[in-house]
């Protein structure tokens, strides 16, 4: 029988066919049932990894955009705060100037009043001094003359003398 | 003598017969090897996870590496088409070759009285020593040391190559590879030479694998005879390497023959076709990603 015949180098047709059949069965099992399972898993993994990478990329982009937005908002807030500070500073400056102006005005008023009062008191003291000088002068004149002068005449003379003295003193000051 | 040089014979030993079929020790181990390959890949594939464990990782690494090789050599579409053939040849041959270094292979078996000198010996122990040490028919022997196995693989490789040639190029295209008149008499001669050489690939493929593995097997037996236990240890590593290389060479040559066999002789647009295939594959990948995206609900973007 040809299947059982032994050819040179141990070649046996039956055995050869059996080897071929074994190989074909293995090929079918691996090619139809085993490798597709592995490929399916590997493709799923590749898709998952790819998706993960894309999501990470998307998240990275969104994070960058969010950071840009945050930066813009911070910049805007900084500008607004700066403007508010400027306005507040200007207002404070105005208030300060107003207060200073009022204070100066008030001080000026007080000064004016004080000067006026001083002038009044000076004038008053001058009148009083003039009277006292006149009295002293009359008393001195009475001692000198030895007789009394009537009061009205004496006072008139002294006052005229004092007035002339004042006028002379003013002329000298001028 | 404590032991004899093991009986070396090219034909495989018949263990039993099923009808007209002689079941040899190499046929038996081919079946065992096929089962090992199936189990090695089926178990991790059946319980595959997105985050692979060790075994699945190894299986995927091997499959992915081989697939990448096929795609690089034959293009994306043909690479996937040829992959099962190349992978089956590679893994079956690899496992078959590595049986050579497994203890018990070729040393456990039945008593053979056909070996010269063993006809009238009395066997008193299950351990064969002295003159009886080579009176053994091993139950298992590496398949690549049997020409039936390597020849079967080479014939399958040849037939698959031709079948893909007819399928992908058509009758005219495939015959045109051998009978080409466009390139003048020289082209015709080259084509005819290719026609003659085509079946000779069966011989080169089968005898290369058989020769390397049979020689390695004999080497291990002789070294083990000369310097038992320790003498063969370095050669085990050598045989592991040779077994891998020969399996790879067989599978890779099959892939090359298939890739060449599906390319028209003197085809100038081959690169363009390859580029078109790559573009097509990229397009399919993009469509797949798009489909995946559409399946998912829109994510709320960060305000």
């Amino acid at each position: 029988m040809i299947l059982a015949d032994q050819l040179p180098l141990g070649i046996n047709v039956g055995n050869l066919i059996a080897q071929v059949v074994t190989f074909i069965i293995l090929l079918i099992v691996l090619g139809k049932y085993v490798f597709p399972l592995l490929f399916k898993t590997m493709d799923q993994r590749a898709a998952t990894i790819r998706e993960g990478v894309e999501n990470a990329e998307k998240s990275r982009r969104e994070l960058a955009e969010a950071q840009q937005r945050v930066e813009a908002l911070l910049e805007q807030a900084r500008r607004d705060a700066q403007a508010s500070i400027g306005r507040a500073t200007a207002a404070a400056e105005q208030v300060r100037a107003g207060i200073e102006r009022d204070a100066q005005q008030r001080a000026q008023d007080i000064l004016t009043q004080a000067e006026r009062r001083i002038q009044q008191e000076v004038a008053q003291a001058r009148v009083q001094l003039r009277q006292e000088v006149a009295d002293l002068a009359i008393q001195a004149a009475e001692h000198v003359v030895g007789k009394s002068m009537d009061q009205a005449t004496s006072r008139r003379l002294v006052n005229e003398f004092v007035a002339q003295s004042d006028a002379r003193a003013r002329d000298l000051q001028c | 003598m404590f032991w004899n040089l093991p009986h070396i014979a090219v034909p495989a030993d018949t263990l039993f017969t099923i009808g007209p079929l002689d079941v040899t020790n190499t046929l038996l181990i081919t079946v065992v090897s096929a089962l090992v390959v199936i189990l090695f890949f089926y178990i991790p594939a059946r319980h595959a996870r997105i985050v692979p464990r060790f075994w699945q990782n190894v299986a995927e690494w091997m499959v992915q590496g081989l697939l990448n090789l096929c795609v690089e050599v034959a293009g994306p579409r043909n690479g996937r088409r040829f992959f099962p053939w190349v992978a089956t040849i590679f893994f079956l041959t690899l496992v078959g070759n590595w049986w050579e270094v497994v203890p018990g292979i070729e040393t456990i078996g039945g008593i053979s009285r056909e070996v010269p000198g063993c006809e009238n010996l009395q066997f008193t122990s299950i351990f064969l020593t002295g003159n009886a040490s080579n009176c053994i028919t091993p139950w298992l022997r590496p398949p690549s040391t049997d020409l039936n196995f390597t020849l079967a693989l080479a014939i399958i490789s040849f037939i698959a190559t031709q079948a893909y040639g007819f399928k992908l190029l058509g009758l005219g295209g495939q015959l045109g590879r051998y009978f080409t008149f466009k390139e003048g008499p020289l082209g015709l001669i080259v084509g005819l030479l290719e026609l003659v050489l085509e079946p000779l690939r069966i011989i080169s493929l089968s005898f290369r694998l058989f020769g390397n593995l049979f020689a390695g097997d004999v080497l291990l037996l002789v070294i083990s005879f000369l310097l038992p236990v320790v003498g063969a240890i370095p050669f085990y590593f050598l045989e592991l390497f040779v077994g891998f290389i020969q399996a790879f060479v067989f599978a890779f040559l099959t892939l090359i023959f298939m890739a060449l066999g599906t390319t028209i002789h003197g085809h100038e647009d081959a690169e363009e076709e390859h580029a078109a295939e790559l573009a097509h594959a990229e397009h399919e990948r993009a469509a797949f990603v798009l489909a995946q995206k559409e399946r998912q609900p829109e994510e709320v973007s960060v305000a």
Side-chain angles (χ1 to χ4, degrees):
Chain A
M1 199 168 207
I2 191 164
L3 284 180
D5 285 347
Q6 192 90 336
L7 300 173
L9 292 171
I11 296 171
N12 179 294
V13 178
N15 213 269
L16 193 67
I17 292 170
Q19 296 277 14
V20 171
V21 170
T22 308
F23 178 88
I24 296 294
I25 291 169
L26 178 63
L27 175 72
I28 290 169
V29 171
L30 289 181
K32 288 273 180 194
Y33 304 106
V34 179
F35 290 146
L37 281 175
L38 277 176
F39 285 147
K40 188 180 163 194
T41 310
M42 290 193 290
D43 288 344
Q44 275 178 352
R45 186 184 304 120
T48 307
I49 291 169
R50 201 178 298 125
E51 190 185 314
V53 169
E54 282 169 2
N55 283 344
E57 183 65 25
K58 189 180 168 190
S59 300
R60 199 185 61 75
R61 277 200 305 272
E62 284 175 355
L63 181 65
E65 285 171 10
Q67 277 177 341
Q68 280 181 348
R69 279 201 296 275
V70 167
E71 282 294 323
L73 285 173
L74 279 175
E75 187 61 31
Q76 183 65 35
R78 218 172 279 134
R79 276 201 299 271
D80 289 350
Q82 204 64 40
S84 297
I85 289 169
R87 280 198 301 273
T89 307
E93 184 63 28
Q94 280 180 353
V95 170
R96 187 192 63 77
I99 289 170
E100 192 178 339
R101 204 166 45 246
D102 288 350
Q104 280 178 349
Q105 184 65 42
R106 215 163 153 193
Q108 191 65 39
D109 291 348
I110 290 168
L111 198 63
T112 309
Q113 279 177 2
E115 279 179 353
R116 200 174 297 144
R117 197 175 297 145
I118 288 167
Q119 281 174 357
Q120 282 175 356
E121 283 179 3
V122 166
Q124 200 174 347
R126 201 174 277 165
V127 169
Q128 199 175 345
L129 185 63
R130 192 182 297 156
Q131 281 178 352
E132 284 178 5
V133 168
D135 289 343
L136 284 173
I138 289 168
Q139 285 174 3
E142 278 176 353
H143 277 291
V144 171
V145 177
K147 67 173 184 178
S148 143
M149 293 173 67
D150 69 294
Q151 194 73 20
T153 307
S154 305
R155 188 163 298 279
R156 184 179 52 80
L157 288 172
V158 170
N159 282 343
E160 281 174 7
F161 172 73
V162 169
Q164 283 173 359
S165 300
D166 287 344
R168 207 175 296 136
R170 270 198 297 273
D171 290 340
L172 284 172
Q173 279 178 355
C174 289
Chain B
M1 294 272 306
F2 288 113
W3 50 77
N4 287 342
L5 181 67
H7 177 64
I8 295 167
V10 173
D13 302 301
T14 302
L15 299 176
F16 54 90
T17 56
I18 301 174
L21 177 66
D22 291 338
V23 178
T24 60
N25 44 14
T26 52
L27 179 59
L28 188 63
I29 206 168
T30 304
V31 175
V32 174
S33 303
L35 290 175
V36 167
V37 172
I38 289 170
L39 288 177
F40 183 83
F41 288 106
Y42 182 73
I43 291 172
R46 186 78 185 81
H47 305 99
R49 295 163 177 233
I50 291 293
V51 180
R53 288 184 176 176
F54 177 75
W55 193 349
Q56 183 189 346
N57 215 353
V58 172
E60 285 185 5
W61 171 68
M62 294 166 86
V63 167
Q64 187 71 62
L66 212 53
L67 179 65
N68 289 345
L69 182 73
C70 291
V71 169
E72 276 177 29
V73 171
R77 211 181 301 171
N78 280 345
R80 279 228 170 195
R81 196 174 274 152
F82 301 154
F83 170 76
W85 295 88
V86 177
T88 307
I89 289 173
F90 176 71
F91 292 124
L92 181 64
T93 314
L94 183 70
V95 174
N97 291 352
W98 280 355
W99 282 122
E100 210 175 48
V101 297
V102 175
I105 303 293
E106 294 191 90
T107 53
I108 298 174
I111 290 165
S112 170
R113 293 195 176 279
E114 293 170 5
V115 177
C118 298
E119 296 88 355
N120 302 316
L121 281 177
Q122 294 293 317
F123 300 99
T124 55
S125 164
I126 59 168
F127 299 106
L128 303 180
T129 55
N131 288 333
S133 63
N134 60 346
C135 302
I136 187 169
T137 301
W139 287 334
L140 298 170
R141 172 178 156 178
S144 300
T145 60
D146 181 7
L147 204 51
N148 288 306
F149 174 75
T150 59
L151 203 56
L153 287 188
I155 289 169
I156 287 165
S157 166
F158 171 75
I159 292 174
T161 303
Q162 293 301 315
Y164 273 122
F166 279 109
K167 184 183 173 188
L168 299 178
L169 302 179
L171 182 66
Q174 177 69 353
L175 291 179
R177 292 179 63 230
Y178 307 118
F179 305 103
T180 174
F181 300 101
K182 290 178 190 169
E183 298 168 21
L186 194 63
L188 182 63
I189 292 169
V190 170
L192 289 173
L193 269 176
E194 204 170 327
L195 179 65
V196 174
L197 289 174
E198 203 80 43
L200 290 179
R201 285 174 183 169
I202 296 174
I203 295 172
S204 72
L205 279 174
S206 58
F207 275 84
R208 181 187 299 109
L209 182 60
F210 169 73
N212 276 288
L213 268 291
F214 189 78
D217 197 38
V218 171
L219 175 73
L220 288 182
L221 291 175
V222 171
I223 293 293
S224 299
F225 165 71
L226 294 174
L227 195 59
V229 184
V230 292
I233 289 174
F235 294 96
Y236 283 140
F237 293 104
L238 176 70
E239 284 312 305
L240 279 173
F241 178 69
V242 170
F244 170 78
I245 288 294
Q246 288 306 317
F248 181 76
V249 165
F250 200 111
F252 190 65
L253 282 176
T254 300
L255 174 64
I256 295 281
F257 293 152
M258 281 181 169
L260 288 175
T262 49
T263 309
I264 297 171
H265 190 61
H267 202 288
E268 290 171 0
D269 299 332
E271 283 185 11
E272 284 176 18
E273 271 186 6
H274 190 64
E277 275 190 0
L278 283 175
H280 179 72
E282 185 62 28
H283 175 73
E284 279 184 349
R285 192 191 72 80
F288 178 74
V289 170
L290 205 63
Q292 288 279 330
K293 271 186 181 175
E294 280 173 359
R295 271 217 300 267
Q296 285 188 345
E298 280 292 315
E299 287 181 6
V300 181
S301 61
V302 180

